[in-house]
Structures are given as C-alpha cells and as structure tokens.
C-alpha cells in the first residue's frame, strides 16, 4: 500500500453566497451528463470506507464507479479504495473545514474525471453536524449510523437525519453486544424524516448490503 499513489486535491472554500443555488445547478449538470452523485455522511468510525468496499464490487457490475474521499488530511482512505477495488479515487483535502459544499464537489468531480463515470461516491468528512449544513449537489444523501453509536442519534443530531434520503445502520453483526433497538431507531428516524429509507447492514459480513445495492441501482437507472 505504501507504493500506491493517489491524486490529492487541495480544495478551496466556495465564495458563493448561495450554496443551495449552486448545488441545484450542479445536480442539473450531473443529470445532463448521466452522472449519479452520492454523498455519504457519518461520524468517524461508523464504517463509511468499509461500506464502500462492500458496495462497490456489487454495483460496479453495471455502473462505472469513482470515489472522492474527503478528509482534513491524509490519503489513507483513497489509497484503500483504489487498492482494494481498483476503481478511480481521489483524496480531497478540505484545509481544515469539516464539510464539502457544491463548489468543492464540482472541483472534485472535475479532477476524478466524472464525465467518464456513471456513479460517484463522496465519502464526506466524518462528523454528524457540519456536512448536513451544506448541500453538495448530490442526488442522494446517505447517512451511516453504526450500532455502537446508539439508537438515539436521530434525536441528538436532527439536521443530519432530516436531510437523509437513506440511512444505513451498519455493524448489525454487533447487535448482541449493544443496547441498540432497531425498531426504536426506525421510530426515531421517522420522527425526523418519514421519507428516509432505512437499511440494516453489516459491511463486514455483507448482511443486508445486497438490498442497499439493489435500491441504489434502481435509483441510478431511474435518475
């Protein structure tokens, strides 16, 4: 892994006054180019990269896939994605910022060569606060919540779950070891967002990943 090199892009903060307007414009641009852009958000350690490693082999059978890894520093995740899956990946350095916005997304999409891809994942900076406040221009916003974090997080971080199109409950293989109630969690999500689709998965064992991938593939086909 030490010999593998990935492209690193140092992002510049958007100076646009209306990020939401720019995000809508980016969505339209991507629709016109048949690029489906997925924004994945979570707290650190929830399993974003592991979930991508479980998802990509299934979804790449039909779609050309690329991954943008956003972090304050390091290239660990982009190297892992490229090494383990072989799909193109770029590392986005946010310069200390805890989120990506639409213009930063546009920079990343240009660098990864999204015009030659059908599906681009963004692994956003790891936290449950800042990323929810900035529209990236994605067609699908996905939140990953791992079992060890607890089933009350939709109540504690409402904005994140209010903006989610999909919630992946990861590490369900660990359910016996934690006081995590899936039914209670679903109810907590519904209190914030009745439209969000909830998929219990284990990125480690593969349980539930097929259902998530089928859902995603259907979204891409019908975009």
């Amino acid at each position: 892994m030490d010999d593998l090199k990935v492209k690193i892009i140092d992002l510049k903060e958007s100076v646009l006054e209306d990020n939401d307007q720019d995000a809508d414009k980016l969505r339209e641009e991507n629709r016109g180019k048949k690029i489906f852009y997925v924004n994945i958000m979570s707290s650190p350690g929830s399993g974003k990269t592991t979930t991508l490693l479980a998802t990509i082999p299934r979804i790449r059978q039909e779609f050309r896939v690329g991954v943008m890894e956003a972090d304050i520093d390091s290239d660990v995740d982009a190297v892992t994605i490229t090494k383990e899956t072989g799909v193109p990946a770029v590392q986005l350095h946010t310069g200390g910022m805890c989120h990506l916005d639409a213009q930063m997304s546009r920079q990343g999409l240009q660098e990864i060569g999204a015009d030659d891809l059908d599906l681009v994942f963004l692994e956003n900076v790891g936290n449950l606060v800042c990323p929810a406040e900035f529209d990236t221009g994605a067609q699908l916003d996905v939140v990953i919540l791992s079992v060890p974090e607890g089933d009350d997080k939709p109540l504690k971080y409402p904005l994140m779950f209010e903006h989610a199109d999909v919630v992946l409950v990861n590490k369900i293989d660990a359910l016996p070891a934690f006081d995590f109630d899936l039914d209670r969690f679903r109810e907590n999500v519904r209190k914030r967002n009745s439209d969000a689709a909830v998929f219990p998965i284990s990125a480690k064992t593969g349980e539930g990943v097929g259902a998530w991938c089928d859902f995603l593939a259907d979204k891409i086909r019908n975009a």
Side-chain angles (χ1 to χ4, degrees), residues 13-14 16 19-20 23 27 39 41 97-102 104-105 122 124 129-138 141 159 163:
E13 187 173 8
S14 173
L16 296 176
N19 180 67
D20 289 345
R27 266 187 288 274
N39 175 30
M41 300 172 285
M97 291 175 287
C98 60
H99 68 275
L100 263 70
D101 61 18
M104 296 159 84
S105 290
L122 165 65
N124 214 318
V129 181
C130 297
E133 298 175 354
F134 294 87
D135 191 339
T136 63
D141 286 316
L159 188 62
H163 285 192

Side-chain angles (χ1 to χ4, degrees), residues 10 13 56 59 64 116 119 121 142 157 172 179 183 201:
D10 290 315
E13 187 173 8
I56 290 170
I59 208 76
R64 298 170 297 170
D116 296 321
L119 169 64
F121 291 106
V142 178
Y157 299 93
I172 59 171
D179 181 21
D183 290 335
I201 69 167

Side-chain angles (χ1 to χ4, degrees), residues 33-55:
K33 296 176 181 180
K34 303 297 183 182
I35 300 166
F36 198 84
Y37 181 29
V38 178
N39 175 30
I40 299 180
M41 300 172 285
S42 79
S43 59
S46 66
K48 291 191 296 298
T49 303
T50 307
T51 298
L52 283 173
L53 292 175
T55 299

Side-chain angles (χ1 to χ4, degrees), residues 44-120:
S46 66
K48 291 191 296 298
T49 303
T50 307
T51 298
L52 283 173
L53 292 175
T55 299
I56 290 170
R58 292 171 170 83
I59 208 76
R60 72 178 301 188
Q61 296 175 23
E62 183 175 353
F63 305 104
R64 298 170 297 170
V65 181
V67 178
M68 303 191 304
E69 293 284 351
D71 278 303
I72 293 173
D73 206 344
S74 93
D75 62 356
V76 172
D77 290 338
V79 168
T80 299
I81 290 291
T82 300
K83 180 178 175 61
E84 298 296 329
T85 70
V87 303
V90 295
Q91 190 77 45
L92 308 180
H93 284 176
T94 64
M97 291 175 287
C98 60
H99 68 275
L100 263 70
D101 61 18
Q103 180 57 25
M104 296 159 84
S105 290
R106 184 178 281 105
Q107 293 177 58
L109 290 165
Q110 291 172 349
E111 292 291 344
I112 202 173
D115 288 357
D116 296 321
L117 300 172
D118 304 307
L119 169 64
V120 177

